[in-house]
């Protein structure tokens, strides 16, 4: 249970970076929300990997390169699910892109990211 709670704290931290990056890209730099969301997901992914490796799963005895490759594979899936989901929810349900991002990020985070990191990346 402690690992799950730590993973949620790491996920929240990464999500904050993700959302701040998305907001800066879209609101300050006037980047299209799909690209801004992808850039935010990238920034959050970097934070999440570092926290997962060093704190959540305490998996520093394994080679970082092996974990990074596995993480990138999982992260690409996350990027596709999140970016595609934000587009679909925003475009077809006519929700604000930030609300779409919250809904999609929470769904993907709980159903995909945690399990893949625990069972595949940081084993």
């Amino acid at each position: 249970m402690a690992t799950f709670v730590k993973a949620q704290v790491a996920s929240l931290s990464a999500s904050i970076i993700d959302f701040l990056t998305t907001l800066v890209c879209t609101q300050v730099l006037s980047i299209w929300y799909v690209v801004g969301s992808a850039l935010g997901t990238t920034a959050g992914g970097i934070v999440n990997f570092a926290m997962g490796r060093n704190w959540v799963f305490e998996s520093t005895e394994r080679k970082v390169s092996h974990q990074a490759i596995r993480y990138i594979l999982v992260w690409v899936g996350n990027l596709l699910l999140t970016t595609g989901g934000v587009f679909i929810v925003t475009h077809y349900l006519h929700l604000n892109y930030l609300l779409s991002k919250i809904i999609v990020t929470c769904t993907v985070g709980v159903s995909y990211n945690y399990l893949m990191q625990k069972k595949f990346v940081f084993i």
Side-chain angles (χ1 to χ4, degrees):
M1 188 61 155
T3 301
F4 180 77
V5 171
K6 287 167 119 179
Q8 298 317 303
V9 170
S11 180
L12 178 62
S13 300
S15 293
I16 290 168
I17 297 300
D18 178 348
F19 279 84
L20 286 174
T21 302
T22 300
L23 280 170
V24 168
C25 288
T26 58
Q27 301 299 313
V28 176
L29 302 176
S30 299
I31 295 173
W32 184 39
Y33 74 90
V34 173
V35 174
S37 178
L39 292 171
T41 300
T42 301
I46 292 167
V47 169
N48 192 265
F49 175 77
M51 290 182 77
R53 182 180 193 316
N54 297 305
W55 181 59
V56 176
F57 300 102
E58 298 175 7
S59 186
T60 56
E61 71 282 350
R62 302 192 78 156
K63 283 189 165 188
V64 69
S65 59
H66 294 174
Q67 290 173 334
I69 290 168
R70 288 174 180 236
Y71 186 85
I72 289 168
L73 291 172
V74 170
W75 178 83
V76 167
N78 173 68
L79 178 64
L80 294 172
L81 289 169
T82 302
T83 304
V86 168
F87 175 76
I88 289 167
V89 172
T90 301
H91 188 74
Y92 293 106
L93 298 180
H94 307 289
L95 295 179
N96 177 279
Y97 74 94
L98 290 175
L99 180 58
S100 298
K101 189 160 178 78
I102 290 168
I103 293 167
V104 172
T105 298
C106 290
T107 303
V108 172
V110 173
S111 65
Y112 175 79
N113 289 339
Y114 175 73
L115 291 174
M116 291 300 289
Q117 287 181 29
K118 182 177 181 180
K119 302 291 185 184
F120 180 69
V121 176
F122 298 113
I123 53 173

